Amino acid sequence: MQDTDIKFLEDSFKKYYFEHFDLIHVPERTSEREFGFQKFNSGMTRHIQIKDDKELHLLFMQNVPSDVYCSNAYYSFPNLPMNEKDWKEADLIFDIDAKDLNLTCRANHTVSICYECNEISKDSNQCRKCNSTKLEKKSLPCKNCIDQSKIQVERLSEILTNDFAIDKENIHVYFSGNEGFHVYVYNSQFQEIGSRERSELTDYISLRGAIPETFGMRKFKQDRAAFPDFNEKGWKGRFSKYVFGSKSKRSKIITELLANGYSSFQKTLDDVSKNIGVKIDPNVTMDIHRIFRLPGSINSKSGLTKILCTDLTKFDPYSEASFLSDETIEVLANSPIEFKLKNKKFGPYNNEKVTVPTFVAVYMICKKLAKTA
Amino acid sequence: MIALGQDEIAKYPFLADAGQYLKDQGFSLEQFGTDPDLKQLIQKAYDRILVAADGKIYKSDLIGDHVSKEAALPREVFSFLLAIVLLKLCGMHTLIKRFALAEARRAEKYLERDLSNISDESKKELAIRVIDDLFSVQIEKQDDYFVIPVSDYLKHSINFHEREWKLINRHVENGLVFLTPHETVRLIRKELGTYINSKIINAKTPTMIPGFEDSVNKLSMLSKKFATFTVTTGEYPPCIKHAIDVLEKGENLPHSGRFMLATFLLSKGQTVQQIAPLFKNAPDYNPRVTLYQLNHLAGTSGSGTQYSCPSCEKLKTQSLCFATSECDNIINPLQFGKKRK
């Protein structure tokens, strides 16, 4: 990124942090957490301990970070090296990202940027100019991406409340600032479990690793009564609603399942898992030492804010998470794909000078689709 | 500690304080080595170890839940305590491990029976208390099942490799996992074994007691049988071969795949400098970052923790497993090609 771009992003971010510090959620038990930040075009600074809002504010003002992070873990000594921190517990976190949902819309709003010659084109596997295969993909997620991610968040919340008895007020959903959502669970029975246990939880939530017996299918001594019912709790009930469709079809479908046999049932399970298992990134949940983007801070991949969604159904990130100023600026834009911000359409731009509001310019520069003119 | 009745000490002898029990009964270890009547008990203790070493469960003189004869009770407990003395004198860890496991499985049977006892509420309560005291797992009865919090279930089940123990294959409701008495007890088998094992390891080793030598020598001979030898082929497992192929083709290998490959090769003794060139075809290759990350995994930089190769189970969930018949039920790629001789 060129110096003028960095300067522009820094100025825009600084203004945001100055005007919207109220949006930055200082997490509870602040002094037990590890903070970290990144500046534009430089590495990560972490192992920082912060006392309160004031200190956090100072960090933003002094450093003008591109990204700010905070641990979900609680430590005795958050500022010491990893193995001396003395891990105590960690909130449970789930990451739902549109890019993991294999949506068909994705190809329509992904651009490829060539590492070799910087040529920008619509999604492809090879640079149209120099034929290089080393490409960076940037996606400008659409409404469908967000809607599909919301469905996953809702499914996840349903499992957390019903199967794991987690209170609704202990589940907080944040828009990640780019393509998905982060779901935080506080004060649960899972605070103290380690990484392997968390990985097992993710397998449960995504319905991975189930055996046919769990849903009533046996290798030998088959028994119709072993198949789950509609009103059963947990995955059994969800399974029957999905596979049988309606109560009246249950008996007929069980006959079919039994006729198709055990190994075919395993395939049915894979299909069920693909369709009703929640698509979460297991690596994020497993990692008990990770630092996560701080709620209220800007995501430098987009210039949008990671923000708490109080009403998920109505939430529209492209109007509600965009807080940068409306002041206009001239940029050299090269975005083969159209996008929508604050209910207005922008682009496509073919390597042209355009005057756009700051929030649009930042979005494009963060996506590497524009430069300051 | 729980107050135990006579029958309970016979069923769960590891709960009793060994030295105190002997004293209370008015015996010293030396008497067992010299007194011809008591000496039989050394043989009994030796047999108890032998059965355990064979992977079987020692059959006690208990009939149902009760000690058959008045005299049988001390025999039960003495043979257990003497077995520990013999094991300490012989000092062979493989035998101790096997003994602890067999004793755990023996106790497991009683715990299971006590848990499912409908007629005697007190037996069930004792079993629940033993589990709570020893393993801090709170179980509760709900209809025909015992229920435990999901987090407690996970802490214990995480070491099981059978798929039926995966959380997804259990009945989960309201933050609780539902288990039969059999499953409840099976869940803590390893901890029970570990508990007994640590009790033996932490017990004081007595100096050789006259009359014990024969049995101790025989045990030393026996333990040689359990030393294992392995041969290694040196061939890479399919998951690793696949990862190398992907990199060689210049395709993108996900972070988890790179982690697997690097930790695997580091564990096999390769150096960071030997491994780094493998990543040069990656679309986002940056030599400085690669070296930094490899050094981090090797534990030569950063926290100093050396990361280990992920398990096969983990790799399956990351879609990195390409198992062939040669994988032969291994649980970590590092075991590939190692055969017991």
Side-chain angles (χ1 to χ4, degrees), chain B residues 5 27 33 79 132-133 179 212 219 230 259 315 324 333-334:
Chain B
F27 293 109
S79 62
D132 190 0
D133 271 29
L179 300 167
F212 281 59
L219 283 181
T230 50
F259 181 89
L315 297 175
T324 62
L334 287 169

PDB file of all heavy atoms in Angstrom, chain B residues 5 27 33 79 132-133 179 212 219 230 259 315 324 333-334:
ATOM      1  N   GLY B   5     -17.507 -48.996  55.102  1.00  0.00           N
ATOM      2  CA  GLY B   5     -17.818 -50.218  55.827  1.00  0.00           C
ATOM      3  C   GLY B   5     -16.862 -51.309  55.375  1.00  0.00           C
ATOM      4  O   GLY B   5     -16.071 -51.118  54.448  1.00  0.00           O
ATOM      5  N   PHE B  27      -0.973 -55.908  62.435  1.00  0.00           N
ATOM      6  CA  PHE B  27       0.089 -56.643  61.731  1.00  0.00           C
ATOM      7  C   PHE B  27       1.221 -55.711  61.285  1.00  0.00           C
ATOM      8  O   PHE B  27       1.001 -54.524  61.071  1.00  0.00           O
ATOM      9  CB  PHE B  27      -0.471 -57.323  60.480  1.00  0.00           C
ATOM     10  CG  PHE B  27      -1.433 -58.420  60.774  1.00  0.00           C
ATOM     11  CD1 PHE B  27      -2.791 -58.268  60.518  1.00  0.00           C
ATOM     12  CD2 PHE B  27      -0.982 -59.627  61.307  1.00  0.00           C
ATOM     13  CE1 PHE B  27      -3.693 -59.295  60.777  1.00  0.00           C
ATOM     14  CE2 PHE B  27      -1.881 -60.649  61.577  1.00  0.00           C
ATOM     15  CZ  PHE B  27      -3.236 -60.485  61.305  1.00  0.00           C
ATOM     16  N   GLY B  33       6.198 -61.914  55.929  1.00  0.00           N
ATOM     17  CA  GLY B  33       7.330 -62.635  55.344  1.00  0.00           C
ATOM     18  C   GLY B  33       7.712 -63.873  56.135  1.00  0.00           C
ATOM     19  O   GLY B  33       8.314 -64.799  55.574  1.00  0.00           O
ATOM     20  N   SER B  79      -4.239 -58.768  50.410  1.00  0.00           N
ATOM     21  CA  SER B  79      -3.606 -59.142  49.133  1.00  0.00           C
ATOM     22  C   SER B  79      -3.412 -57.907  48.259  1.00  0.00           C
ATOM     23  O   SER B  79      -2.427 -57.798  47.535  1.00  0.00           O
ATOM     24  CB  SER B  79      -4.416 -60.209  48.411  1.00  0.00           C
ATOM     25  OG  SER B  79      -5.698 -59.727  48.093  1.00  0.00           O
ATOM     26  N   ASP B 132     -17.680 -38.449  43.035  1.00  0.00           N
ATOM     27  CA  ASP B 132     -17.576 -37.020  43.307  1.00  0.00           C
ATOM     28  C   ASP B 132     -16.259 -36.694  44.031  1.00  0.00           C
ATOM     29  O   ASP B 132     -15.530 -35.772  43.659  1.00  0.00           O
ATOM     30  CB  ASP B 132     -18.788 -36.584  44.134  1.00  0.00           C
ATOM     31  CG  ASP B 132     -18.875 -35.070  44.238  1.00  0.00           C
ATOM     32  OD1 ASP B 132     -17.988 -34.399  43.673  1.00  0.00           O
ATOM     33  OD2 ASP B 132     -19.797 -34.555  44.880  1.00  0.00           O
ATOM     34  N   ASP B 133     -15.947 -37.486  45.076  1.00  0.00           N
ATOM     35  CA  ASP B 133     -14.749 -37.225  45.876  1.00  0.00           C
ATOM     36  C   ASP B 133     -13.466 -37.393  45.077  1.00  0.00           C
ATOM     37  O   ASP B 133     -12.539 -36.593  45.156  1.00  0.00           O
ATOM     38  CB  ASP B 133     -14.689 -38.193  47.061  1.00  0.00           C
ATOM     39  CG  ASP B 133     -15.410 -37.610  48.259  1.00  0.00           C
ATOM     40  OD1 ASP B 133     -16.343 -36.819  48.036  1.00  0.00           O
ATOM     41  OD2 ASP B 133     -15.032 -37.939  49.400  1.00  0.00           O
ATOM     42  N   LEU B 179     -26.185 -40.619  30.761  1.00  0.00           N
ATOM     43  CA  LEU B 179     -25.368 -41.825  30.715  1.00  0.00           C
ATOM     44  C   LEU B 179     -26.027 -42.964  31.492  1.00  0.00           C
ATOM     45  O   LEU B 179     -26.728 -42.729  32.478  1.00  0.00           O
ATOM     46  CB  LEU B 179     -23.999 -41.548  31.363  1.00  0.00           C
ATOM     47  CG  LEU B 179     -23.129 -40.460  30.753  1.00  0.00           C
ATOM     48  CD1 LEU B 179     -21.988 -40.121  31.699  1.00  0.00           C
ATOM     49  CD2 LEU B 179     -22.581 -40.896  29.406  1.00  0.00           C
ATOM     50  N   PHE B 212       9.996 -61.917  51.175  1.00  0.00           N
ATOM     51  CA  PHE B 212       9.358 -61.318  49.995  1.00  0.00           C
ATOM     52  C   PHE B 212      10.202 -61.505  48.728  1.00  0.00           C
ATOM     53  O   PHE B 212       9.715 -61.280  47.627  1.00  0.00           O
ATOM     54  CB  PHE B 212       9.137 -59.802  50.206  1.00  0.00           C
ATOM     55  CG  PHE B 212       7.949 -59.456  51.061  1.00  0.00           C
ATOM     56  CD1 PHE B 212       7.843 -59.923  52.368  1.00  0.00           C
ATOM     57  CD2 PHE B 212       6.929 -58.638  50.569  1.00  0.00           C
ATOM     58  CE1 PHE B 212       6.750 -59.584  53.167  1.00  0.00           C
ATOM     59  CE2 PHE B 212       5.833 -58.297  51.355  1.00  0.00           C
ATOM     60  CZ  PHE B 212       5.741 -58.776  52.653  1.00  0.00           C
ATOM     61  N   LEU B 219       8.668 -61.353  39.793  1.00  0.00           N
ATOM     62  CA  LEU B 219       8.026 -60.204  39.130  1.00  0.00           C
ATOM     63  C   LEU B 219       8.991 -59.488  38.193  1.00  0.00           C
ATOM     64  O   LEU B 219       8.616 -59.066  37.095  1.00  0.00           O
ATOM     65  CB  LEU B 219       7.498 -59.205  40.172  1.00  0.00           C
ATOM     66  CG  LEU B 219       6.209 -59.573  40.898  1.00  0.00           C
ATOM     67  CD1 LEU B 219       5.820 -58.464  41.863  1.00  0.00           C
ATOM     68  CD2 LEU B 219       5.066 -59.808  39.914  1.00  0.00           C
ATOM     69  N   THR B 230       9.859 -51.821  18.553  1.00  0.00           N
ATOM     70  CA  THR B 230       9.114 -51.419  17.361  1.00  0.00           C
ATOM     71  C   THR B 230      10.081 -51.232  16.202  1.00  0.00           C
ATOM     72  O   THR B 230      11.251 -50.916  16.395  1.00  0.00           O
ATOM     73  CB  THR B 230       8.372 -50.082  17.581  1.00  0.00           C
ATOM     74  OG1 THR B 230       9.305 -49.143  18.099  1.00  0.00           O
ATOM     75  CG2 THR B 230       7.223 -50.246  18.552  1.00  0.00           C
ATOM     76  N   PHE B 259       0.448 -26.539   9.387  1.00  0.00           N
ATOM     77  CA  PHE B 259       0.748 -26.839  10.781  1.00  0.00           C
ATOM     78  C   PHE B 259       1.033 -28.325  10.944  1.00  0.00           C
ATOM     79  O   PHE B 259       2.025 -28.726  11.549  1.00  0.00           O
ATOM     80  CB  PHE B 259      -0.447 -26.429  11.650  1.00  0.00           C
ATOM     81  CG  PHE B 259      -0.247 -26.680  13.121  1.00  0.00           C
ATOM     82  CD1 PHE B 259       0.336 -25.715  13.927  1.00  0.00           C
ATOM     83  CD2 PHE B 259      -0.642 -27.878  13.698  1.00  0.00           C
ATOM     84  CE1 PHE B 259       0.532 -25.938  15.274  1.00  0.00           C
ATOM     85  CE2 PHE B 259      -0.455 -28.117  15.056  1.00  0.00           C
ATOM     86  CZ  PHE B 259       0.136 -27.142  15.836  1.00  0.00           C
ATOM     87  N   LEU B 315      -7.323 -34.282  12.367  1.00  0.00           N
ATOM     88  CA  LEU B 315      -7.083 -34.082  10.939  1.00  0.00           C
ATOM     89  C   LEU B 315      -8.326 -34.427  10.131  1.00  0.00           C
ATOM     90  O   LEU B 315      -8.610 -33.798   9.122  1.00  0.00           O
ATOM     91  CB  LEU B 315      -5.886 -34.913  10.480  1.00  0.00           C
ATOM     92  CG  LEU B 315      -4.554 -34.513  11.143  1.00  0.00           C
ATOM     93  CD1 LEU B 315      -3.438 -35.452  10.725  1.00  0.00           C
ATOM     94  CD2 LEU B 315      -4.190 -33.072  10.780  1.00  0.00           C
ATOM     95  N   THR B 324      -5.446 -44.659   4.372  1.00  0.00           N
ATOM     96  CA  THR B 324      -5.453 -45.880   3.578  1.00  0.00           C
ATOM     97  C   THR B 324      -5.457 -47.051   4.560  1.00  0.00           C
ATOM     98  O   THR B 324      -5.364 -46.838   5.771  1.00  0.00           O
ATOM     99  CB  THR B 324      -4.181 -45.986   2.714  1.00  0.00           C
ATOM    100  OG1 THR B 324      -3.055 -46.033   3.603  1.00  0.00           O
ATOM    101  CG2 THR B 324      -4.050 -44.823   1.780  1.00  0.00           C
ATOM    102  N   PRO B 333      -0.579 -39.416  13.042  1.00  0.00           N
ATOM    103  CA  PRO B 333       0.254 -39.715  11.867  1.00  0.00           C
ATOM    104  C   PRO B 333       1.669 -40.185  12.240  1.00  0.00           C
ATOM    105  O   PRO B 333       2.294 -40.943  11.492  1.00  0.00           O
ATOM    106  CB  PRO B 333       0.315 -38.383  11.125  1.00  0.00           C
ATOM    107  CG  PRO B 333      -0.887 -37.639  11.556  1.00  0.00           C
ATOM    108  CD  PRO B 333      -1.205 -38.086  12.946  1.00  0.00           C
ATOM    109  N   LEU B 334       2.157 -39.739  13.390  1.00  0.00           N
ATOM    110  CA  LEU B 334       3.523 -40.117  13.786  1.00  0.00           C
ATOM    111  C   LEU B 334       3.669 -41.621  14.001  1.00  0.00           C
ATOM    112  O   LEU B 334       4.760 -42.162  13.934  1.00  0.00           O
ATOM    113  CB  LEU B 334       3.909 -39.394  15.077  1.00  0.00           C
ATOM    114  CG  LEU B 334       4.194 -37.905  14.916  1.00  0.00           C
ATOM    115  CD1 LEU B 334       4.298 -37.246  16.267  1.00  0.00           C
ATOM    116  CD2 LEU B 334       5.475 -37.694  14.109  1.00  0.00           C
TER     117      LEU B 334
END
